[in-house]
Amino acid sequence: MLLRIDHVGVACHNLEEKIEFYESVFGLTVVSREVNEEQGVREAMLHVADGDQGASYVQLLEPLHPDTAVGRFLAKRGEGVHHIGYGVADVTRALEEIGAKGVRLIDERPRHGSMGASIAFLHPKDVGGVLTELVETSRR
């Protein structure tokens, strides 16, 4: 079901500063920038590597407002890993299969994600404390 680690989502206070850090320290390149009003974030996707099942990224997330999910995360925990995104072939089918196994779904159906992907989140309390995102890419 899970094809690869699609991305690691990292919450940050200042997107531009974190982009500079990841570019200068790790040599990563920004391949996409978006503002996602629905999720309340300004984000950048930085390319890490390509694999047989698709690419992997670091996703930097800056909240648009303190009362967003990422804003609350930063206030409570500070900067750091916010979630892990796993690539799947069919996010709708993955939701059905995972939900049938008793894992609580934050999203009952897919929604718009970065770079045109279809995404859905699983409840972290049912996934070992890790906010988990399922990602069906649109042929990045």
Side-chain angles (χ1 to χ4, degrees):
M1 175 187 306
L2 302 181
L3 303 175
R4 71 188 182 291
I5 296 176
D6 182 83
H7 67 276
V8 176
V10 178
C12 63
H13 293 289
N14 186 308
L15 185 63
E16 295 308 318
E17 286 179 6
K18 285 299 177 212
I19 288 171
E20 170 61 28
F21 174 82
Y22 277 85
E23 288 177 333
S24 64
V25 174
F26 300 117
L28 301 185
T29 303
V30 174
V31 294
S32 174
R33 290 177 183 247
E34 291 183 41
V35 173
N36 187 322
E37 296 285 346
E38 178 187 347
Q39 294 182 31
V41 295
R42 181 176 298 108
E43 65 179 66
M45 295 292 274
L46 292 87
H47 182 258
V48 175
D50 290 312
D52 293 343
Q53 297 294 323
S56 62
Y57 304 89
V58 170
Q59 179 186 45
L60 300 176
L61 302 162
E62 176 187 22
L64 295 175
H65 309 287
D67 63 341
T68 64
V70 173
R72 289 186 296 274
F73 176 92
L74 284 169
K76 185 175 181 179
R77 297 190 179 110
E79 293 186 321
V81 174
H82 179 262
H83 68 274
I84 305 293
Y86 293 99
V88 296
D90 183 332
V91 70
T92 301
R93 184 178 333 170
L95 282 171
E96 291 170 0
E97 291 176 15
I98 293 167
K101 293 177 182 174
V103 174
R104 284 178 285 175
L105 310 175
I106 292 175
D107 298 303
E108 296 289 327
R109 59 182 185 269
R111 56 179 155 142
H112 168 74
S114 302
M115 298 176 14
S118 292
I119 65 165
F121 285 91
L122 308 178
H123 200 288
K125 288 186 179 178
D126 290 352
V127 193
V130 179
L131 180 59
T132 301
E133 180 180 0
L134 304 175
V135 182
E136 179 185 338
T137 62
S138 62
R139 299 290 167 220
R140 298 181 190 172

